[in-house]
């Protein structure tokens, strides 16, 4: 028996397979999947008005299923397959058993089948996060079309460019540990752009949009928070010490951010807000995502302080002052909680990433990955500034891909498909087929505060 493995080598247990890594990766993937189903299904269904509960929850459930079919059909290979161009892989099926049972890319010690599943749940939650910007007025048929189009035209480009070893930003050395760019910045910009095209809700819905079930909303938020253990803990592709570091940093940052947001609500609005606490939790989770296994614990706390305050300011202050932001009706404030927080996380990663921890994750012999802070402390400021430049370039690239891609998907079809502000209120069962139109809401009448109301 080969002494390097703890089991008999057979066709089902090849020598390269690490059962511990494979078990952790499947577990982490399932935790991420549970963030969507049932996590965001519950959160979306409870945070909107009762008349929108079924439609909102169903948007999440549909996206989860539709993404999987598209993912194994062509999406995975476009994101992680053979190079087509510098920012996209060649479309192909990911169902051939020889491919699925073979060793995963980048020398991971588990099969491609596990990798396909793990990457699928990330793609699925990205689409479901976009749905958060459209709750309360999007036609379900339009959503059914949007999901495969956006996955194909936008997500695959960002994923390949940043995460695939042959992607151009990956080659440059961008640091995105677990999806601050690919998932959160993408979903924030795409959701905001889609919300612009779809149009706002009615004035009465924007001015008063209380959750229909706060306790269930918190249950969904809890699944989202705890599921982030797999979200960030699974990205070293191994059950190693970097995974452990990523997990503790994730929860420390999220807790800090939640408390900061809560205290700001109390200071400026005189009372705590349960929705505000959830938003602070989310911005902390999003901000730490690109840095989770690359920074020390004290940096995670600083990131939590910033993620609980900067997105709070953009949402609660700037959003009420900038006319364009007031007009774009982003129901769940994904622009602030994901685009702003994701960009913040990417920039802070470029500042706080520690070379020793970068080595644990990237195993790069050239030691090109370095945060600006450590560039100064180790006498390599040029390398630190280079890293910051790459991080900022990545932000611009993801924003451009999603604005252009979303415009191409919607364009004039937005109004042909669902009209500016359609709603579904004629059926007591909240049917997605019963439609009642109302006139578009003019920008000057848009309600203040943007996405959610304080409770």
């Amino acid at each position: 028996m080969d002494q390097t493995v703890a089991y008999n080598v057979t066709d089902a247990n090849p020598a390269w397979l690490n059962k511990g890594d494979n078990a952790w990766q499947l577990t982490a993937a399932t935790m991420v999947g549970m963030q969507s189903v049932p996590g965001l299904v519950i959160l979306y269904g409870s945070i909107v008005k009762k008349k929108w509960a079924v439609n909102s929850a169903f948007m999440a459930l549909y996206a989860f299923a539709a993404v999987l079919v598209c993912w194994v059909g062509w999406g995975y290979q476009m994101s992680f397959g053979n190079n087509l161009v510098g920012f996209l892989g060649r479309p192909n099926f990911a169902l051939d058993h020889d491919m699925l049972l073979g060793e995963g890319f980048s020398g991971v010690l588990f099969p491609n089948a596990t990798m396909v599943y793990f990457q699928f749940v990330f793609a699925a939650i990205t689409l479901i996060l976009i749905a958060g910007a459209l709750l309360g007025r999007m036609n379900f048929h339009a959503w059914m079309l949007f999901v495969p189009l956006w996955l194909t035209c936008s997500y695959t480009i960002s994923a390949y460019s940043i995460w695939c070893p042959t992607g151009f930003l990956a080659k440059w050395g961008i640091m995105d540990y677990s999806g601050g760019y690919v998932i959160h910045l993408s979903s924030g910009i795409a959701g905001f752009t889609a919300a612009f095209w779809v149009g706002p809700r009615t004035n009465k819905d924007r001015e008063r949009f209380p959750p229909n079930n706060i306790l269930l909303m918190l249950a969904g938020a809890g699944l989202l928070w705890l599921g982030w253990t797999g979200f960030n803990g699974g990205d070293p592709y191994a059950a190693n010490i970097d995974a452990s570091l990523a997990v503790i940093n994730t929860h420390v940052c999220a807790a800090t951010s939640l408390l900061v947001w809560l205290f700001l609500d109390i200071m400026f609005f005189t009372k705590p807000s349960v929705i505000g606490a959830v938003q602070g939790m989310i911005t902390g989770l999003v901000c730490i995502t690109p840095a989770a296994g690359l920074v020390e614990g004290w940096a995670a706390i600083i990131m939590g302080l910033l993620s609980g305050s900067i997105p709070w300011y953009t949402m609660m202050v700037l959003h009420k002052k900038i006319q364009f932001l007031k007009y774009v009706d982003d129901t769940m404030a994904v622009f602030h909680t994901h685009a702003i927080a994701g960009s913040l996380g990417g920039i802070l990663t470029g500042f706080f990433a520690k070379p020793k921890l970068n080595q644990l994750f990237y195993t790069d012999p050239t030691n090109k990955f370095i945060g600006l802070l450590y560039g100064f402390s180790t006498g390599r400021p040029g390398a630190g500034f280079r890293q910051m430049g790459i991080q900022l370039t990545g932000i611009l690239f993801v924003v451009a891909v999603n604005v252009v891609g979303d415009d191409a998907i919607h364009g004039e079809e937005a109004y042909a498909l669902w009209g500016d502000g359609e709603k579904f209120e004629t059926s007591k069962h909240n049917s997605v087929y019963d439609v009642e139109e109302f006139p578009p809401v003019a920008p000057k009448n848009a309600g203040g505060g943007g996405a959610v109301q304080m409770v």
Side-chain angles (χ1 to χ4, degrees):
M1 177 180 174
D2 187 346
Q3 297 300 310
T4 62
V5 295
Y7 50 84
N8 293 324
V9 174
T10 65
D11 287 343
N13 297 296
W16 50 261
L17 176 67
N18 184 303
K19 290 192 173 185
D21 287 351
N22 195 38
W24 166 239
Q25 211 63 35
L26 289 169
T27 301
T30 302
M31 294 179 74
V32 178
M34 292 182 69
Q35 290 182 289
S36 296
V37 180
L40 287 172
V41 170
I42 295 173
L43 180 62
Y44 286 178
S46 348
I47 203 169
V48 297
K49 285 184 175 182
K50 187 176 181 180
K51 64 183 178 182
W52 284 106
V54 174
N55 188 67
S56 299
F58 196 18
M59 286 174 69
L61 183 64
Y62 163 79
F64 194 78
V67 168
L68 178 55
V69 174
C70 298
W71 192 244
V72 297
W74 61 86
Y76 177 78
Q77 294 283 25
M78 290 179 69
S79 302
F80 296 97
N82 296 325
N83 180 62
L84 180 64
V85 291
F87 56 85
L88 195 63
R90 190 179 304 277
N92 204 349
F93 289 107
L95 290 174
D96 180 79
H97 78 276
D98 289 333
M99 176 266 184
L100 290 176
L101 300 183
E103 187 175 2
F105 71 80
S106 250
V108 299
L109 303 180
F110 50 79
N112 273 316
T114 301
M115 182 65 80
V116 172
Y117 174 49
F118 182 74
Q119 293 297 344
F120 146 66
V121 291
F122 282 88
I125 199 171
T126 308
L127 266 298
I128 296 171
L129 291 173
I130 293 173
L134 302 168
L135 300 182
R137 82 275 196 193
M138 189 171 190
N139 182 300
F140 191 79
H141 294 101
W143 178 244
M144 291 177 68
L145 180 62
F146 176 84
V147 168
L149 286 175
W150 189 87
L151 175 75
T152 304
C153 300
S154 183
Y155 183 85
T156 57
I157 295 174
S158 296
Y160 187 87
S161 301
I162 294 173
W163 278 347
C164 189
T166 51
F168 83 99
L169 285 171
K171 288 181 176 180
W172 287 2
I174 193 170
M175 293 189 292
D176 184 13
Y177 187 87
S178 194
Y181 289 87
V182 177
I183 297 171
H184 301 296
L185 178 56
S186 289
S187 62
I189 297 298
F192 186 79
T193 307
F196 168 79
W197 279 110
V198 172
R201 290 164 287 170
T202 60
N203 285 341
K204 65 177 182 179
D205 274 344
R206 295 191 71 180
E207 291 166 0
R208 182 64 178 163
F209 199 68
N212 71 78
N213 193 316
I214 291 179
L215 291 180
L216 273 180
M217 180 192 74
L218 289 175
L223 285 167
L224 191 66
W225 186 348
L226 270 296
W228 229 282
T229 296
F231 199 106
N232 288 347
D235 268 283
Y237 298 148
N240 61 19
I241 60 173
D242 198 40
S244 300
L245 175 67
V247 169
I248 191 64
N249 278 345
T250 296
H251 296 301
V252 166
C253 184
T256 304
S257 182
L258 184 154
L259 295 176
V260 169
W261 196 295
L262 185 64
F263 289 143
L264 288 172
D265 279 347
I266 294 173
M267 288 173 59
F268 288 90
F269 300 107
T270 71
K271 61 180 180 180
S273 164
V274 64
I275 294 181
V278 171
Q279 299 287 39
M281 173 202 83
I282 292 172
T283 55
L285 293 167
V286 170
C287 184
I288 195 63
T289 290
L294 309 177
V295 300
E296 295 192 84
W298 59 265
I301 292 176
I302 294 176
M303 292 179 74
L305 293 171
L306 294 173
S307 65
S309 54
I310 293 176
W312 180 92
Y313 178 76
T314 64
M315 183 190 299
M316 306 309 299
V317 179
L318 289 184
H319 197 110
K320 299 178 181 180
K321 295 181 177 180
I322 300 175
Q323 193 67 24
F324 179 66
L325 291 179
K326 290 169 65 176
Y327 172 68
V328 179
D329 184 12
D330 177 359
T331 310
M332 284 285 292
V334 295
F335 176 75
H336 302 283
T337 59
H338 293 276
I340 298 295
S343 298
L344 179 64
I347 293 169
L348 293 175
T349 301
F351 188 80
F352 286 123
K354 186 175 183 178
K356 181 179 179 180
L357 301 179
N358 297 341
Q359 283 292 313
L360 294 178
F361 184 67
Y362 292 108
T363 61
D364 173 44
T366 66
N367 200 27
K368 66 180 178 181
F369 298 95
I370 184 171
L372 180 59
L373 176 66
Y374 295 95
F376 281 111
S377 65
T378 60
R380 299 173 58 199
F385 280 114
R386 175 185 178 276
Q387 189 65 59
M388 287 294 287
I390 295 171
Q391 299 300 108
L392 292 170
T393 300
I395 292 172
L396 295 175
F397 175 75
V398 173
V399 169
V401 166
N402 283 280
V403 170
V404 173
D406 237 33
D407 282 349
I409 292 170
H410 284 94
E412 294 179 358
E413 289 187 298
Y415 301 98
L417 284 172
W418 59 83
D420 184 17
E422 272 187 348
K423 63 178 182 176
F424 311 95
E425 299 181 8
T426 59
S427 170
K428 64 180 180 180
H429 299 297
N430 190 209
S431 168
V432 296
Y433 302 107
D434 297 326
V435 180
E436 177 188 342
E437 294 186 2
F438 58 81
V441 180
K444 65 180 181 180
N445 294 328
V452 292
Q453 300 296 320
M454 306 296 293
V455 298

